[in-house]
Amino acid sequence: MEAQKVFGRGDRIFSPKWLKVSFSAVSVFDGEAACFPCMTADLKAETFTVWMKSLIMQGNGLTVFNENGQVAYRIDNYDEKRSREVFLMDLRGKLLFTVRRKSIWFLCDWEGFKEDVNTEERKPFFRAKKILRVFSNKLSCDVKLCGDESQASLCYRFEGFWGKIAFRILDSRGGLVAEAKRKQSSLGVQLGEDVMSLVLLQTNLDHSLIMALVTMYLLIQRRI
């Protein structure tokens, strides 16, 4: 991996060899080229590469690349892994979602706070609960949107397995929203377990919300 300075500070970023994209073309201050829309009406499925590492040296986190190999979302956590609270940002460092673990006795729920919602009282935009299964390696989570009254009936379900990065997201009707699996190279060779491909099939959704939900799931899996 090769490193170079960004933001004009002492932080250093790393470019993974499998990405094959120069970071010289990705700048925080490149204007319109650095903007990534959160909503799209395109019916074509979109694929993102999720790397369960931070680009910042000596930092933990998550980096999401779009189909062009550009950084679309990131989490730079300078604390230890498995943090109780992480912050999802775009390329420029704009805060999009705060994902927080909420523990009550032995139960553990997750909440997501959307940062562009202007309300006097800070309320979660979504809540997630694990579905308890006895003697099973299946991992399921139910997510309910609660930040918008018009979306109060919307919910999603994650389906996966403990210790595996592959999962899928279903909507309230059982329709497939997104699917993730271990990333393969162009030669069909599987990459490390810290790199996965995320395919969004329902692309009219808020991408930042989906990424916040993926972040929550990876935290439950203790991947980041």
Side-chain angles (χ1 to χ4, degrees):
M1 296 184 181
E2 65 179 48
Q4 65 184 56
K5 292 184 178 180
V6 292
F7 309 151
R9 299 179 302 177
D11 291 337
R12 301 178 71 84
I13 65 173
F14 289 86
S15 174
K17 293 180 180 179
W18 45 261
L19 187 58
K20 297 181 180 180
V21 172
S22 171
F23 275 92
S24 60
V26 184
S27 171
V28 179
F29 306 106
D30 273 348
E32 296 299 326
C35 296
F36 299 92
C38 290
M39 299 292 288
T40 174
D42 189 4
L43 297 180
K44 177 180 176 295
E46 296 184 59
T47 302
F48 292 84
T49 297
V50 180
W51 190 32
M52 285 166 261
K53 291 185 181 294
S54 170
L55 291 178
I56 304 300
M57 184 177 180
Q58 297 179 343
N60 300 302
L62 183 77
T63 308
V64 181
F65 303 91
N66 63 14
E67 292 177 333
N68 297 322
Q70 297 172 308
V71 178
Y73 302 96
R74 60 192 178 95
I75 294 174
D76 299 322
N77 183 12
Y78 292 92
D79 297 326
E80 60 184 13
K81 273 189 175 183
R82 307 171 189 174
S83 176
R84 297 179 62 90
E85 185 177 65
V86 297
F87 306 97
L88 178 68
M89 301 176 288
D90 64 9
L91 172 63
R92 295 169 176 260
K94 178 183 177 182
L95 186 57
L96 303 173
F97 272 92
T98 298
V99 181
R100 183 179 301 162
R101 183 175 65 190
K102 183 179 180 181
S103 299
I104 302 178
W105 293 96
F106 60 90
L107 299 177
C108 180
D109 297 339
W110 293 85
E111 296 178 336
F113 298 85
K114 193 174 178 66
E115 296 302 330
D116 62 357
V117 176
N118 296 320
T119 58
E120 295 182 359
E121 183 180 356
R122 185 174 172 83
K123 296 181 179 180
F125 192 81
F126 67 82
R127 287 191 174 97
K129 288 187 176 183
K130 290 185 294 184
I131 300 175
L132 298 178
R133 300 180 185 272
V134 181
F135 306 118
S136 174
N137 65 340
K138 291 184 178 180
L139 173 60
S140 299
C141 305
D142 281 344
V143 180
K144 181 178 180 181
L145 302 186
C146 47
D148 188 343
E149 292 183 359
S150 64
Q151 297 178 319
S153 62
L154 295 179
C155 60
Y156 299 97
R157 169 167 288 190
F158 278 76
E159 292 186 346
F161 294 89
W162 285 105
K164 304 293 183 181
I165 62 174
F167 63 85
R168 61 180 184 170
I169 306 175
L170 307 176
D171 60 22
S172 56
R173 298 179 179 179
L176 188 60
V177 175
E179 191 170 22
K181 61 182 179 179
R182 193 167 168 181
K183 187 175 179 65
Q184 293 185 345
S185 69
S186 57
L187 299 177
V189 179
Q190 282 193 334
L191 301 179
E193 292 189 354
D194 59 349
V195 187
M196 70 180 184
S197 292
L198 177 67
V199 181
L200 300 187
L201 301 174
Q202 297 185 19
T203 57
N204 59 326
L205 302 175
D206 183 347
H207 285 181
S208 65
L209 170 61
I210 298 300
M211 293 304 169
L213 297 180
V214 170
T215 297
M216 176 270 303
Y217 183 81
L218 293 175
L219 285 167
I220 292 175
Q221 286 276 30
R222 300 182 178 181
R223 290 284 180 173
I224 58 175

